[in-house]
Amino acid sequence: MDHDLFNHLGLASCFMDQYLDELTYEQQVNFRSYYTELYESLWECVSYEQFYESIKNFIANHALFLPSNALRVSEVYALIAYCKSLGIKEDLKNFGYEIISCAIAKHKAIKSTEIRSILVSEGEAVLQLLNVLLTNAYGENPTFSNTLNYLKHLEHILNLGDDTLDVKQDKIRGKLNKAVSWTHRIYLAKYLFVKIIKTIAQHPMKSAYYFPVLSFYYFNKTRLR
């Protein structure tokens, strides 16, 4: 399989997540209210220059800010172009809306269990789109569902790890509700540890292969960028 399929989805998701993290709660709500308008205009773009200009104009008109990482913007363009070639407009649109909604829900959550559920929803949104990409590009394959089910666990582990490390910074930046308990990081770390152990125990063969392979791939790509 072409690794670009996974790269475009992963990097575009990462960009969206980082960009949403920089927005205040009010800006995120504003962004979501105009998301369909933006998405429709981006879908019609036929060049990267036109794509980037559309984003710049949208952000200027709605008092947001322009992402400085143009490379990641190009990854979003590449993902949309790929989805256009497969004709999966609505699936990609719903994916973006769900990611924005999860970011907004995080701001409103006051319990660690709520945040954990939101992280699960984030992972499910990514894997749902990946499933659509795979089946549209390669057809139905019985191995897809088993592997995607396992990757869903890895995606949740990755999200838990990120949020566990970023608790202090998220508090300072106002990304976490003030009502969230000081034990939030302990809760996430404990749940992360249990999740890793359960994933390995339930999927020993896949873990033996995917943990080292994907870890190497992840850190290799992170270093390159």
Side-chain angles (χ1 to χ4, degrees), residues 154-173:
L154 294 191
E155 173 72 11
H156 189 44
I157 288 171
L158 185 62
N159 287 340
L160 282 169
D162 285 343
D163 273 43
T164 301
L165 292 174
D166 294 342
V167 167
K168 183 177 181 180
Q169 186 179 9
D170 288 347
K171 279 277 192 179
I172 295 174
R173 295 165 63 188

Side-chain angles (χ1 to χ4, degrees), residues 13-58:
S13 299
C14 182
F15 170 80
M16 290 175 64
D17 186 56
Q18 291 176 347
Y19 179 62
L20 288 169
D21 282 350
E22 297 298 325
L23 301 180
T24 64
Y25 172 74
E26 291 74 17
Q27 287 175 324
Q28 288 178 354
V29 173
N30 184 39
F31 184 31
R32 185 174 66 175
S33 66
Y34 291 102
Y35 168 73
T36 298
E37 171 192 326
L38 173 64
Y39 181 82
E40 293 295 335
S41 68
L42 296 181
W43 187 266
E44 297 301 322
C45 292
V46 295
S47 68
Y48 176 67
E49 291 74 21
Q50 184 184 3
F51 182 86
Y52 191 79
E53 192 67 22
S54 293
I55 291 180
K56 186 171 69 174
N57 291 337
F58 173 83

Side-chain angles (χ1 to χ4, degrees), residues 2 12 52 60 80 91 103 113 126 134 141 143 146 155 157 161 176 188 194 205:
D2 187 354
Y52 191 79
I80 291 180
D91 293 287
T113 52
V126 174
L134 286 170
N141 190 311
T143 64
N146 290 333
E155 173 72 11
I157 288 171
L176 280 179
L188 287 184
V194 172
M205 298 302 294

Side-chain angles (χ1 to χ4, degrees), residues 8-9 12 16 35 38-47 51 55 72-89 92-93 95-96 129 133:
H8 292 328
L9 178 57
M16 290 175 64
Y35 168 73
L38 173 64
Y39 181 82
E40 293 295 335
S41 68
L42 296 181
W43 187 266
E44 297 301 322
C45 292
V46 295
S47 68
F51 182 86
I55 291 180
R72 292 294 174 85
V73 175
S74 69
E75 295 292 351
V76 179
Y77 173 72
L79 176 62
I80 291 180
Y82 187 81
C83 290
K84 285 174 74 172
S85 71
L86 297 178
I88 51 175
K89 179 180 180 180
L92 181 61
K93 178 182 177 180
F95 164 72
L129 179 59
L133 287 169

